[in-house]
Amino acid sequence: MNLQAPGMKELKPQLDRLDLSRLPRHVAMIMDGNGRWAQARGLDRSAGHYEGVKSVRLATELSSDLGIDFLTLYAFSTENWNRPQQEVDVLMHLIGMAIQQETPDLVKNNVHLRLIGDLERMPEEAWNRLHACEVATAECTGLTLTLALSYSGRRELTRAASEIARAVAEGSLSLSDISEETLARHLHTQGMPDPDLLIRTGGEERISNYLLWQAAYSELYFTPTLWPDFDKSAYLEALINYQGRERRFGKTGDQVKSSHL
Ligand code: IPE
Ligand code: IPE
Ligand code: MG
């Protein structure tokens, strides 16, 4: 952990409550509440999206400083294409610009950018900036920061099913060889561990088509804090809360306890 990083001193009381040997390996986040943050201030919804970029930076920094391996952020769902065109345009412009601006710091902090979703739907300008960052951070070996863009869990599963069906039809895969691993290999997240912790800000308590397969055993943490207000302290609270949970994976509490002895 990098305790010398800016802002870490103020977080000391919370860091003292955190067991650094039991951190989640993969944290996924549904970044919700930008619009309501802006509307509460009499601002246009886009002001909330701009403000939300700060929280992305803070979550990335803290994940990286703590040594968390994977942070996966839901930035834009397939369903979000149905928002007013002006808001979609703002979001697409902002995502591309923010990633371009952050690229030097991501490289400096050894953060590897990965993109998941129906990326062919991304407008060219945003796509070029995102792809340039992917290329620039390709050799980075620290935190993997994954942005879910034009992402739909159901679509991801449907696509995987059709790829597997094609392989069977072509004879390169036999029906009896299809396992959970086969399916996982056909998801956008292939090669990544499942999220241990899934955080949703903004007060809604739903999954909204996010990581439907991967979150099968994730611990869910819902907070009313709106995404632009989700700072390092709020993130640490979620991590502390996660460490208070017992992950049973179908077993009994006694079985889990005896396996720790
Ligand atoms: C999350 O904030 C950002 C995206 C979904 C792209 P919202 O824009 O959904 O904010 P609320 O939920 O309307 O407050
Ligand atoms: C989920 O937020 C998608 C992202 C955060 C990118 P939404 O605001 O789109 O979710 P719903 O519509 O309230 O379920
Ligand atoms: Mg929302």
Side-chain angles (χ1 to χ4, degrees):
M1 186 183 51
N2 179 9
L3 268 170
Q4 309 312 319
M8 284 303 243
K9 244 196 212 121
E10 295 80 79
L11 300 171
K12 177 100 180 24
Q14 279 177 297
L15 286 168
D16 287 345
R17 287 160 60 212
L18 198 64
D19 178 351
L20 296 173
S21 69
R22 288 195 310 117
L23 285 169
R25 194 164 169 225
H26 183 176
V27 179
M29 296 189 185
I30 301 177
M31 312 186 284
D32 197 22
N34 293 351
R36 279 165 285 160
W37 183 94
Q39 281 162 341
R41 287 160 179 76
L43 303 169
D44 187 74
R45 292 176 56 84
S46 57
H49 298 314
Y50 276 90
E51 196 66 21
V53 173
K54 268 191 217 155
S55 302
V56 173
R57 190 179 311 124
L58 295 177
T60 306
E61 262 174 27
L62 185 60
S63 303
S64 171
D65 289 338
L66 288 175
I68 288 171
D69 292 329
F70 296 90
L71 175 67
T72 301
L73 302 176
Y74 204 5
F76 195 88
S77 71
T78 304
E79 291 76 18
N80 289 148
W81 290 115
N82 299 322
R83 291 194 177 194
Q85 191 58 44
Q86 188 252 348
E87 180 167 346
V88 170
D89 291 345
V90 165
L91 275 164
M92 287 300 134
H93 178 69
L94 182 60
I95 289 165
M97 286 297 290
I99 284 296
Q100 185 178 45
Q101 263 164 27
E102 293 300 319
T103 300
D105 276 350
L106 293 176
V107 173
K108 200 168 78 198
N109 294 318
N110 201 21
V111 177
H112 172 76
L113 181 80
R114 183 167 167 170
L115 305 168
I116 60 172
D118 282 337
L119 302 170
E120 42 314 331
R121 285 189 77 177
M122 296 298 288
E124 200 181 336
E125 184 208 79
W127 167 249
N128 287 340
R129 295 185 159 131
L130 288 159
H131 185 59
C133 182
E134 253 187 327
V135 171
T137 63
E139 306 294 322
C140 294
T141 53
L143 173 73
T144 297
L145 169 65
T146 303
L147 292 186
L149 288 163
S150 189
Y151 176 86
S152 150
R154 284 189 169 180
R155 192 170 288 224
E156 180 185 39
L157 285 164
T158 309
R159 208 189 61 149
S162 97
E163 283 177 12
I164 292 169
R166 192 182 316 120
V168 172
E170 287 169 353
S172 57
L173 180 69
S174 79
L175 207 51
S176 56
D177 284 340
I178 299 174
S179 63
E180 291 188 7
E181 286 68 37
T182 316
L183 205 124
R185 265 202 309 276
H186 284 269
L187 300 178
H188 298 301
T189 49
Q190 55 103 356
M192 284 163 71
D194 288 339
D196 303 292
L197 170 63
L198 171 55
I199 298 173
R200 181 173 186 143
T201 63
E204 311 298 351
E205 302 193 351
R206 55 177 170 254
I207 298 295
S208 300
N209 211 357
Y210 193 40
L211 301 177
L212 297 181
W213 170 276
Q214 300 87 339
Y217 263 105
S218 303
E219 294 297 329
L220 307 180
Y221 179 86
F222 299 107
T223 169
T225 303
L226 302 172
W227 178 253
D229 293 327
F230 192 77
D231 56 11
K232 289 186 183 179
S233 171
Y235 185 7
L236 280 173
E237 254 345 279
L239 293 172
I240 292 165
N241 180 292
Y242 163 83
Q243 292 192 332
R245 314 252 186 120
E246 180 176 67
R247 303 189 73 195
R248 288 196 283 274
F249 298 100
K251 295 186 177 168
T252 67
D254 286 345
Q255 283 178 302
V256 172
K257 280 182 198 84
S258 64
S259 74
H260 289 153
L261 294 177

